[in-house]
């Protein structure tokens, strides 16, 4: 799939399946298979069997356009005439994603401004922003490869896992604070007994019960599992972006994705968000619906597959 300085495939609205019901990976139609017959219409040679209404990305004179498959659908090799849905006045977001290099650096978190929604989402809701990026990239909730529509719920799943973790952490912390007799208590190991104890903000300590020791161990285990999940899913998503857009590691070799995900999850997630959508071309206002949808992009933005 080639497109001058950018390279990607898109899927929008209806999916196309083969006779066995399997997802078909549809490439961008090359310029050699597209003939411009008028200033407002093109002839397209179908790259595969396509359903009626399928949105297909084509190239004409070095420009990317979207055409719809006519009623009745088409077979591979059929030539059909279509009117590009988006012309020179197109306000639809265009996936101009850089090849061979990141759009900006790992630490350019404020490149779009200190109050940009992508930055705010990354600071306060990093897992949700990660879920949006994973959905854009057609990844499943573990960061593995997938394809729409099966990956369209990735952000919802990642968000659900995040909320479940927050609720469990809040409930256990509340129970432990109640036993300690103070809010904001810190779990410590008593140097004299070697057992768990509470240290209140005023510096006083009190011994913890056996049930509290069990709850604290459970919370520590759950927190560790969730931390590993975030690191692994972030690492796999970053690796997928690098492979898709041919970005070579800049340091640490093949361990770069893991190192970035482990040491700076927030910076890594926000960099991936900025790379997979050009906010400078069509920004997403803070508190707008697109800021909180499954991709963090305006509706109609194609998936990257």
């Amino acid at each position: 799939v080639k497109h001058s300085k950018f390279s990607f495939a898109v899927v929008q609205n209806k999916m196309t399946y083969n006779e066995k019901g399997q997802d078909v990976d549809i490439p961008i139609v090359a310029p050699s298979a597209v003939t411009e017959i008028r200033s407002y219409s093109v002839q397209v040679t179908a790259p595969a069997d396509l359903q009626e209404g399928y949105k297909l990305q084509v190239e004409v004179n070095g420009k990317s356009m979207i055409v719809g498959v006519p009623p009745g659908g088409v077979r591979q090799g059929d030539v059909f005439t279509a009117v590009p849905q988006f012309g020179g006045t197109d306000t639809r977001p265009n996936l101009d994603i850089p090849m061979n290099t990141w759009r900006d650096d790992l630490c350019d978190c404020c490149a779009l401004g200190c109050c940009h929604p992508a930055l705010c989402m990354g600071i306060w809701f990093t897992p949700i922003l990660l879920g949006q990026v994973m959905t854009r990239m057609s990844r499943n909730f573990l960061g593995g490869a997938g394809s729409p529509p099966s990956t369209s719920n990735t952000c919802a799943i990642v968000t659900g896992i995040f909320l479940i973790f927050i609720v469990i952490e809040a409930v256990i912390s509340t129970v432990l604070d109640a036993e300690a007799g103070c809010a904001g208590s810190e779990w410590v190991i008593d140097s004299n007994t070697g057992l768990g104890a509470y240290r209140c903000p005023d510096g006083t300590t009190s011994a913890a019960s056996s049930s509290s020791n069990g709850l604290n161990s459970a919370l520590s285990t759950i927190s560790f599992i969730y931390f590993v999940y975030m690191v692994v899913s972030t690492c796999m998503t970053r690796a997928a972006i690098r492979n898709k857009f041919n970005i070579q590691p800049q340091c640490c070799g093949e361990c770069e994705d893991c190192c970035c995900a482990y040491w700076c999850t927030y910076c890594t997630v926000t960099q991936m968000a900025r790379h997979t959508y050009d906010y400078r071309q069509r920004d997403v206002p803070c508190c707008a619906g697109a800021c909180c949808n499954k991709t963090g992009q305006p509706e109609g933005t194609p998936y990257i597959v």
Side-chain angles (χ1 to χ4, degrees):
V1 179
K2 297 181 179 179
H3 178 290
S4 58
K5 63 183 285 192
F6 304 107
S7 175
F8 50 87
V10 299
V11 177
Q12 184 183 10
N13 296 341
K14 295 183 179 180
M15 285 297 298
T16 295
Y17 305 90
N18 60 20
E19 296 179 355
K20 297 181 180 180
Q22 299 170 324
D23 290 359
V24 178
D25 199 359
I26 306 301
I28 298 174
V29 179
S32 60
V34 183
T35 304
E36 188 172 12
I37 59 175
R38 297 186 184 90
S39 60
Y40 53 86
S41 62
V42 295
Q43 281 187 337
V44 181
T45 302
D49 295 347
L50 302 173
Q51 291 178 330
E52 171 185 336
Y54 183 85
K55 304 302 181 184
L56 185 67
Q57 182 167 349
V58 302
E59 290 182 20
V60 179
N61 296 329
K63 295 183 179 179
S64 178
M65 303 182 187
I66 301 293
V67 298
V69 173
V74 294
R75 291 285 184 180
Q76 183 175 1
D78 288 353
V79 177
F80 64 94
T81 301
V83 177
Q85 296 183 4
F86 307 101
T89 59
D90 181 18
T91 59
R92 176 181 174 276
N94 186 6
L95 287 178
D96 283 346
I97 302 178
M99 291 290 294
N100 305 318
T101 184
W102 291 100
R103 193 185 299 276
D104 46 34
D105 292 333
L106 181 67
C107 296
D108 287 342
C109 301
C110 297
L112 302 172
C114 296
C115 296
H116 193 272
L119 176 66
C120 296
M121 285 288 287
I123 293 175
W124 291 301
F125 305 105
T126 306
I128 298 178
L129 181 61
L130 174 62
Q132 291 176 334
V133 173
M134 293 165 76
T135 303
R136 296 177 193 178
M137 290 297 299
S138 302
R139 314 302 290 181
N140 59 35
F141 75 99
L142 294 174
S147 60
S150 61
T151 58
S152 61
N153 293 323
T154 294
C155 185
I157 296 173
V158 174
T159 301
I161 294 173
F162 170 60
L163 293 178
I164 291 172
F165 170 71
I166 292 297
V167 170
I168 292 175
E169 183 181 46
V171 170
I172 294 180
S173 296
T174 300
V175 172
L176 294 177
D177 283 346
E179 182 177 4
C182 63
S185 62
E186 179 185 4
W187 185 268
V188 297
I189 300 298
D190 191 309
S191 58
N192 296 322
T193 64
L195 300 176
Y198 301 106
R199 177 183 293 161
C200 292
D202 60 6
T204 60
T205 59
S206 58
S209 65
S210 58
S211 60
S212 294
N213 277 284
L215 282 176
N216 184 72
S217 297
L219 180 58
S220 298
T221 301
I222 293 172
S223 298
F224 176 74
I225 292 173
Y226 185 70
F227 172 74
V228 171
Y229 164 72
M230 282 295 296
V231 170
V232 171
S233 56
T234 301
C235 175
M236 293 186 65
T237 303
R238 190 178 193 273
I241 292 175
R242 285 200 309 101
N243 291 334
K244 173 65 69 175
F245 302 108
N246 195 32
I247 302 173
Q248 299 301 315
Q250 298 175 345
C251 63
C252 304
E254 293 303 320
C255 296
E256 179 181 283
D257 300 317
C258 294
C259 290
C260 289
Y262 180 84
W263 294 110
C264 196
T265 307
Y266 155 70
C267 293
T268 302
V269 172
T270 53
Q271 183 190 37
M272 293 191 297
R274 296 191 304 273
H275 188 81
T276 53
Y277 182 73
D278 189 356
Y279 292 98
R280 295 176 179 85
Q281 179 201 87
R282 185 179 181 184
D283 207 353
V284 179
C286 190
C287 300
C291 180
C292 302
N293 64 17
K294 61 186 178 182
T295 62
Q297 302 168 316
E299 292 296 334
T301 304
Y303 296 111
I304 304 166
V305 299

